[in-house]
């Protein structure tokens, strides 16, 4: 078992109170697995990514534990995490590509980063060049500035940087979202390539775009309002989901081949609840067509079939 | 209804505006009443520029745009905007955050419907909201941040509908929205079309375009490279760029690899074969497409393709 997350709770401190962005999340990822993490904006996807790598100043650890390769990951202790960050867990943060330092050449930026971690950048130069080529770029991008690169080129550079030290776990947060379809495909395919070459052992690929996950992920985990709704193999989530939210979500997705005139899709009425003061029980109840009195109690996230986990009273 | 005839747009860029940037090149198409036309292209291909020229937010450098046969550049602005309106990508930025919805509607009233009695105005607002599936009590007295992205986007469409418009330019109105609400806005476009509106639906997302439009235009670097009935463009893509786009779309139920294989087995001619010149061998010439040389030739009924090297002298 490569990554295990147990009842993780991380809240944001705000003047109005705690925002319960990650409220009791339990899952595991197997060696070699690419896990897709999907869900509506604000459901807590990035919070999970940050919780496993780098707490931001407003995040508060409330409970739960994380084990990576049989070793506890001290996520609540930023100093202790220095030992793991980049070497064993690495993240490509959402918007990383727009956060690159514009005054540093790519090669220099990578060298600075490696040196700040006590690695010998000069000795790693051949490997850096090899990986730049592996993602389909020319070596000379190392001598260029970020503004000289297109979005897709930048994302591939960020991908190379985050994985230079062959981490066990890579978290890629919305790395294809701002890209055109053709570049999106190239970047998504590098994720698979890196896993297949074992440069990264496991991945969490965060995106709100289910069809990207259908292409790259082995399993998909669906989040809703700070909790997990469902986790299963990709073809099960796409083809035979069980949680009412996943079912409605999948059936609302247009796809080439589906037309308004022939088959009218429908959305999910209503909005996700506020995480400042979430409702008791199942967080989907206000929008769920199957909700009843039992749903005022919280449904547990249980394995209903081998490797298929669902949090819903009406699924067994 | 709305027709673009050999329209080009050249921006002056660089230090003293000394460099020409051809953002739109020799584009001709029309949008009829009761028709959704999707304009598909990657970032920077000129989609928004075309929308802005139609809405008279910027002037065409060459060519004419007509509405019911009249040159729109010569129509009085106010009258034109009663017929043609636009809705843009980011609903939160195109909506002043300090105004509640009823105030924003009121501004339309003070410009276009000064003398209208209250009861008649209220009925008009109610009808517009009903057309977009919003409950007046739910939205009218709210600030933008109190509404969801989907609600706000529909509110902006409702504002356009107050004017009895006949044509709507919708520029990337779906991309900001979550999957569970985007389909409702997409369906709304279908409803408006059924009421006789002509809609130019600008998007980079081919699945959204396929779902909602009858006609499709594929834009590459400012030029339409393929155009026609949606099912023909998607079913029998002819320009290499269209083929590449269609092969890159992430599908839910089919992997990229499989799509590539299918395209390889069906696509007989070499990738660099120019269908345009295969169909029209006599149309050789000076390279740049001139009014004398049509930008597109007919592949089959209601399906047109452009030259793959239109600006390279003597290339085909
Ligand atoms: N610094 C912060 N302070 C307070 N609340 C926050 C903060 N950052 C995030 N939140 C809240 O926590 C919740 C989860 O946010 P998160 O960024 O994890 O969502 P997400 O699923 O990544 O969304 P998106 O798809 O938009 O990136 C949201 O309700 C958000 O408003
Ligand atoms: N006001 C302007 N001045 C100079 N150049 C401009 C201006 N507006 C757009 N451009 C340029 O014109 C080209 C087309 O831009 P446009 O915004 O129409 O593309 P788009 O297809 O809408 O792209 P996106 O999908 O990113 O919105 C780009 O190269 C852009 O940089
Ligand atoms: S627990 Fe109840 S409200 Fe929640 S998803 Fe299941 S049926 Fe719906
Ligand atoms: Mg996020
Ligand atoms: Mg645009």
């Amino acid at each position: 078992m490569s990554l295990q997350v147990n009842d993780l709770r991380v809240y944001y401190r705000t003047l109005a109170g705690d925002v319960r962005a990650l409220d009791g999340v339990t899952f595991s990822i197997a060696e070699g697995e690419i896990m897709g993490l999907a869900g509506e904006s604000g459901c807590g996807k990035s919070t999970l990514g940050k919780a496993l790598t780098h707490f931001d100043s407003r995040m508060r650890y409330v409970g739960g534990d994380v084990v990576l390769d049989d070793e506890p990951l001290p996520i609540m202790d930023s100093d202790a995490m220095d030992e793991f960050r980049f070497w064993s867990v690495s993240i490509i943060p959402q918007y990383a590509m727009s956060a690159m330092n514009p005054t540093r050449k790519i090669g220099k930026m990578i060298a600075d980063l490696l040196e700040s971690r006590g690695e010998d950048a000069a000795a790693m130069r051949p490997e850096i060049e090899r990986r730049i080529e592996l993602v389909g770029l020319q070596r000379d991008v190392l001598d260029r500035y970020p503004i000289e690169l297109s979005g897709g080129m930048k994302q591939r550079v960020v991908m190379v940087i985050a994985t230079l030290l062959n981490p066990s776990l890579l978290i890629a947060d919305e790395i294809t979202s701002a890209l055109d379809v053709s570049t999106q495909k190239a970047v998504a395919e590098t994720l698979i390539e890196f896993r297949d070459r074992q440069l990264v052992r496991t991945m969490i690929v965060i995106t709100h775009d289910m069809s990207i996950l259908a292409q790259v992920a082995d399993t998909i985990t669906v989040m809703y309002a700070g909790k997990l709704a469902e986790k299963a193999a990709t073809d099960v989530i796409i083809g035979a989901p069980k949680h009412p939210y996943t079912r409605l979500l999948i059936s609302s997705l247009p796809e080439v081949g589906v037309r308004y005139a022939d088959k009218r899709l429908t959305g999910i009425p209503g909005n996700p609840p506020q995480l400042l003061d979430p409702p008791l029980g199942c967080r989907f109840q206000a929008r769920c067509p199957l909700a009843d009195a039992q749903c005022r109690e919280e449904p547990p996230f249980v394995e209903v079939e081998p490797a298929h986990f669902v949090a819903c009273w009406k699924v067994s | 209804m709305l027709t673009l005839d050999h329209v080009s747009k050249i921006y002056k860029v660089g230090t003293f505006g000394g460099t020409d940037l051809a953002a739109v090149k020799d584009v001709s198409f029309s949008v009829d009443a009761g028709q959704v036309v999707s304009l598909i292209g990657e970032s920077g291909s000129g989609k928004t520029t075309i929308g802005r020229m139609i809405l008279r937010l910027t002037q065409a450098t060459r060519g004419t745009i007509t509405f019911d046969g009249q040159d729109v550049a010569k129509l009085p602005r106010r009258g034109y905007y009663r017929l043609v309106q636009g809705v843009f990508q980011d609903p939160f930025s195109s909506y002043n955050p300090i105004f509640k919805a009823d105030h924003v509607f009121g501004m339309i009233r003070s410009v276009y419907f000064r003398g209208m009695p209250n009861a008649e105005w209220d009925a008009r607002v109610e009808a517009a909201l009903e057309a977009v599936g919003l409950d007046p009590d739910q939205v009218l007295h709210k600030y933008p941040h109190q509404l969801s992205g989907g609600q706000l986007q529909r509110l902006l469409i409702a504002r356009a509908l107050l004017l009895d418009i006949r044509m709507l330019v919708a520029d990337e109105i779906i991309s900001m929205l979550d999957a569970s609400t985007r389909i409702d806005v997409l369906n709304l476009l279908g409803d408006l079309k059924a009421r006789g509106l002509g809609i130019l639906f600008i998007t980079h997302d081919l699945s959204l375009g396929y779902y909602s439009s009858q006609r499709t235009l594929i834009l590459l670097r400012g030029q339409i490279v393929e155009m026609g009935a949606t099912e023909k463009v998607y079913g029998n893509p002819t320009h290499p760029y269209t083929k590449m786009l269609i092969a890159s779309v992430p599908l839910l139920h089919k992997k990229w690899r499989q799509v590539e294989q299918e395209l390889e087995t069906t696509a007989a001619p070499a990738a660099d074969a120019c269908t345009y010149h295969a169909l029209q061998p006599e149309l050789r010439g000076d390279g740049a497409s001139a009014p004398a040389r049509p930008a597109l030739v007919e592949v089959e009924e209601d399906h047109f393709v452009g030259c793959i090297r239109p600006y390279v002298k003597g290339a085909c």
Side-chain angles (χ1 to χ4, degrees):
Chain A
M1 205 53 71
S2 191
L3 177 79
Q4 235 171 317
V5 174
N6 213 335
D7 201 25
L8 186 60
R9 282 167 211 274
V10 174
Y11 298 170
Y12 291 95
R13 287 186 212 99
T14 71
L15 289 175
D18 281 344
V19 175
R20 298 163 71 163
L22 213 53
D23 211 6
V25 163
T26 302
F27 64 94
S28 57
I29 307 183
E31 178 80 35
E33 176 177 335
I34 297 182
M35 180 185 103
L37 181 62
E40 269 164 276
S41 182
C43 71
K45 304 181 296 296
S46 296
T47 307
L48 178 60
K50 287 189 280 180
L52 297 178
T53 49
H54 205 139
F55 275 54
D56 79 30
S57 59
R58 288 173 156 272
M59 284 165 73
R60 183 163 74 86
Y61 170 82
V62 178
D65 51 71
V66 178
V67 177
L68 181 65
D69 298 331
D70 302 320
E71 212 182 331
L73 204 58
I75 56 162
M76 68 297 279
D77 180 346
S78 183
D79 292 337
M81 275 299 285
D82 276 345
E83 233 178 88
F84 296 86
R85 228 176 266 137
F86 205 33
W87 280 279
S88 40
V89 289
S90 201
I91 187 167
I92 303 175
Q94 194 169 3
Y95 315 118
M97 99 183 161
S98 16
M100 284 172 134
N101 183 344
T103 65
R104 274 268 187 284
K105 288 184 178 164
I106 304 291
K108 181 81 175 96
M109 194 166 66
I110 298 176
D112 288 352
L113 180 73
L114 284 169
E115 267 148 27
S116 76
R117 302 298 153 112
E119 297 283 330
D120 183 348
M124 287 193 70
R125 179 80 184 198
E127 182 60 17
I128 297 170
E129 289 177 354
R130 193 179 76 82
R131 295 209 182 173
I132 288 286
E133 284 171 359
L134 179 65
V135 297
L137 300 176
Q138 308 273 323
R139 273 168 202 219
D140 68 10
V141 301
L142 293 171
D143 299 317
R144 292 162 73 180
Y145 291 98
I147 52 160
E148 298 173 309
L149 308 184
S150 70
M153 291 164 86
K154 276 192 266 188
Q155 285 298 35
R156 280 177 276 185
V157 166
V158 175
M159 174 85 194
V160 166
I161 297 175
T163 54
L164 263 180
L165 301 178
N166 300 355
S168 279
L169 172 66
L170 173 73
I171 298 160
D173 194 352
E174 302 281 6
I175 63 168
T176 57
S177 307
L179 305 177
D180 283 324
V181 274
S182 53
T183 18
Q184 201 177 46
K185 174 167 179 252
V187 169
E189 283 175 337
T190 60
L191 291 171
I192 300 179
E193 177 88 20
F194 271 56
R195 190 272 313 270
D196 290 351
R197 288 177 182 261
Q198 302 190 335
L199 301 177
V200 176
R201 297 231 299 285
T202 53
M203 287 189 204
I204 299 179
V205 177
I206 299 176
T207 171
H208 61 276
D209 187 344
M210 266 306 181
S211 50
I212 286 288
L213 295 183
Q215 297 294 327
V216 306
D218 302 309
T219 64
I220 296 178
T221 298
V222 179
M223 266 189 96
Y224 188 78
K227 291 178 179 290
L228 302 190
E230 184 161 11
K231 180 182 186 210
T234 297
D235 50 344
V236 174
I237 292 287
I238 302 290
K242 287 184 185 288
H243 193 285
Y245 173 63
T246 319
R247 297 171 73 112
L248 291 170
L249 185 66
I250 296 285
S251 66
S252 75
L253 302 176
E255 167 164 61
V256 171
V258 176
R259 304 191 68 166
Y260 171 85
D262 312 327
K263 180 182 171 200
R264 198 168 164 158
L265 305 174
T266 50
I268 310 177
N271 297 305
Q274 293 289 327
L275 297 179
L276 197 54
D277 187 17
L280 292 177
C282 178
R283 291 191 179 172
F284 190 55
Q285 57 187 298
R287 300 167 85 185
C288 181
L290 305 181
D292 65 14
Q294 188 183 20
C295 307
R296 281 189 290 248
E297 260 168 63
E298 188 177 334
F301 190 58
V302 292
E303 191 165 16
V304 293
E305 264 164 33
H308 191 165
F309 296 83
V310 183
C312 171
W313 292 118
K314 302 286 175 269
V315 175
S316 53
Chain B
M1 188 170 56
L2 183 96
T3 302
L4 279 75
D5 190 23
H6 296 293
V7 170
S8 298
K9 175 71 190 183
I10 295 169
Y11 288 113
K12 295 283 178 197
V13 295
T15 324
F16 299 104
T19 314
D20 284 352
L21 189 152
V24 174
K25 300 173 198 160
D26 193 19
V27 159
S28 304
F29 67 89
S30 53
V31 180
D32 293 337
Q35 196 179 49
V36 181
V37 175
S38 59
L39 177 58
I40 310 253
E42 299 194 303
S43 183
S45 58
K47 305 181 296 297
T48 297
T49 302
I50 290 176
R52 288 174 53 88
M53 286 190 289
I54 293 172
L55 293 165
R56 294 180 57 183
L57 299 170
T58 189
Q59 228 181 346
T61 312
R62 275 197 298 274
T64 50
I65 302 177
T66 56
F67 191 89
D68 286 346
Q70 289 181 287
D71 187 343
V72 305
K74 295 183 184 134
L75 290 174
R77 253 173 211 278
R78 204 204 274 194
Y80 182 58
Y81 288 146
R82 291 182 94 135
L83 302 170
V84 181
Q85 282 280 320
V87 180
F88 291 90
Q89 177 158 20
D90 179 359
F92 293 94
S93 71
S94 50
Y95 210 96
N96 193 324
I98 60 168
F99 295 140
K100 291 183 183 169
D102 35 342
H103 181 83
V104 172
F105 285 9
M107 293 194 300
I108 298 269
R109 184 182 185 184
S110 65
V111 177
Y112 295 97
F113 302 101
R114 275 180 176 278
M116 186 177 273
N118 282 341
E120 199 180 324
W121 172 253
D122 291 345
R124 185 171 270 264
V125 168
E126 211 161 300
L129 288 173
E130 197 191 307
V132 300
L134 288 176
D135 176 354
D137 297 333
Q138 220 185 348
V139 296
L140 273 187
H141 304 287
K142 297 236 169 93
Y143 291 104
H145 70 265
Q146 296 170 310
L147 300 170
S148 75
Q151 285 176 322
L152 204 49
Q153 205 59 282
R154 280 182 280 168
L155 204 60
L156 290 169
I157 296 172
R159 180 176 69 174
L161 296 181
L162 285 172
L163 293 165
D164 299 320
I165 53 166
R166 292 174 49 208
M167 158 106 199
L168 181 72
V169 175
D171 187 355
E172 299 280 10
I173 58 169
I174 317 279
S175 26
M176 292 281 292
L177 307 179
D178 263 313
S180 72
T181 47
R182 45 166 62 181
I183 197 71
D184 296 327
V185 177
L186 220 47
N187 286 336
L188 172 59
L189 296 184
D191 298 343
L192 296 178
K193 162 192 141 13
R195 292 176 28 165
L197 250 72
I199 297 170
L200 182 66
F201 178 54
I202 297 177
T203 182
H204 63 272
D205 188 323
L206 283 93
S207 336
L208 302 184
Y210 189 88
Y211 181 75
S212 37
S213 69
Q214 288 73 59
R215 305 200 81 229
T216 295
L217 315 171
I218 307 283
L219 198 66
L220 169 64
R221 280 183 241 113
Q223 211 205 349
I224 295 180
V225 297
E226 190 152 359
M227 152 173 119
T230 295
E231 66 277 8
K232 291 183 178 163
V233 172
Y234 283 73
N236 177 25
T238 304
H239 194 282
Y241 179 71
T242 316
K243 288 184 189 171
M244 186 278 295
L245 277 186
I246 288 175
S248 303
V249 179
L251 298 176
L252 279 176
H253 299 284
K254 210 184 266 182
K255 298 270 186 194
W256 278 319
R257 221 170 307 120
Q258 199 183 335
V259 173
E260 274 165 15
Q261 281 163 1
E262 288 173 7
L263 281 178
E264 258 162 43
T265 51
T266 56
D272 63 347
C274 180
T275 311
Y276 180 100
H277 280 106
L279 289 167
Q280 298 286 335
E282 70 284 6
L283 287 178
R284 305 204 177 276
D286 60 353
S289 116
R293 197 184 110 166
L296 301 169
V297 300
E298 194 165 36
V299 183
E300 57 188 316
E301 201 198 334
D302 200 15
H303 184 183
F304 304 84
V305 70
C307 172
I308 66 174
R309 289 171 286 251
Y311 293 93
V312 187
K313 206 169 180 165
C316 307

